[in-house]
Amino acid sequence: MARYELTFPIADPAEIEQLRAGDEVVVQGHVIGIRDRTQIRIFDQGVEPPMDLFGAFLLHTAPGVRKLGPGRYEKVCIGTTTSARMVRFTEGLGAQYGVRAICGKGGFPDEAIEPMRRLGMVYFAIVGGAAALETTQIEEIEEVAWEELMPECLWKFRVKDFGPLTVGIDAHGSSLYHDVQARARTKLEELYARIQ
């Protein structure tokens, strides 16, 4: 396991390709907050996102914020939400918009492995329940789009030392989630064989 520091958006795909499942990453720069309704608008309704997603790190979130004025928000609590239900958007995010990293809770199912490998993407795992810590690592909400979807808008966060995150799926086809499930199935079969 190696440890890396990356700044997003990523310009050089080699920075993503160097990562391996199980590596630890700390993120600087910008993170884009996104969730179900935002992606439904982009892919199911065909509306182009008003933010540039090329080279982006997307965080599955619907943050708790306080409105300061038109288009201005103060962070209150910014945690992550479960990713699995959003896996169907992975291919489009990489192929159409050049997204490089996605992060959320609970991991991505196996159907994400091949598009992430083919498109040079990674999935970062983050500890569930760590919203208080994550919020301190977000320095500022710089931009928000599609406020009518509140809180499932597109958010642009400036981050400092965001993480540590674990590479759950890498751009080489390895997935910690797949490996854990495979080991669990094998162990379960062994246990069943012993009790029969």
Side-chain angles (χ1 to χ4, degrees), residues 12-74:
D12 183 357
E15 291 190 71
I16 295 297
E17 291 163 8
Q18 71 184 335
L19 304 176
R20 301 290 175 171
D23 285 349
E24 191 174 279
V25 176
V26 172
V27 171
Q28 314 294 345
H30 290 93
V31 168
I32 305 294
I34 197 167
R35 196 160 159 173
D36 313 57
R37 290 176 66 197
T38 322
Q39 294 174 92
I40 288 167
R41 178 170 283 187
I42 294 167
F43 294 105
D44 297 351
Q45 298 169 0
V47 181
E48 285 294 309
M51 288 184 195
D52 185 4
L53 303 182
F54 187 81
F57 172 129
L58 302 184
L59 182 69
H60 288 153
T61 187
V65 295
R66 181 178 301 113
K67 188 163 183 138
L68 300 175
R72 299 274 306 137
Y73 292 87
E74 175 182 51

Side-chain angles (χ1 to χ4, degrees), residues 150-162:
M150 186 66 66
E152 297 190 36
C153 316
L154 267 177
W155 300 91
K156 185 176 184 181
F157 306 123
R158 188 177 72 247
V159 300
K160 182 171 174 54
D161 300 330
F162 190 78

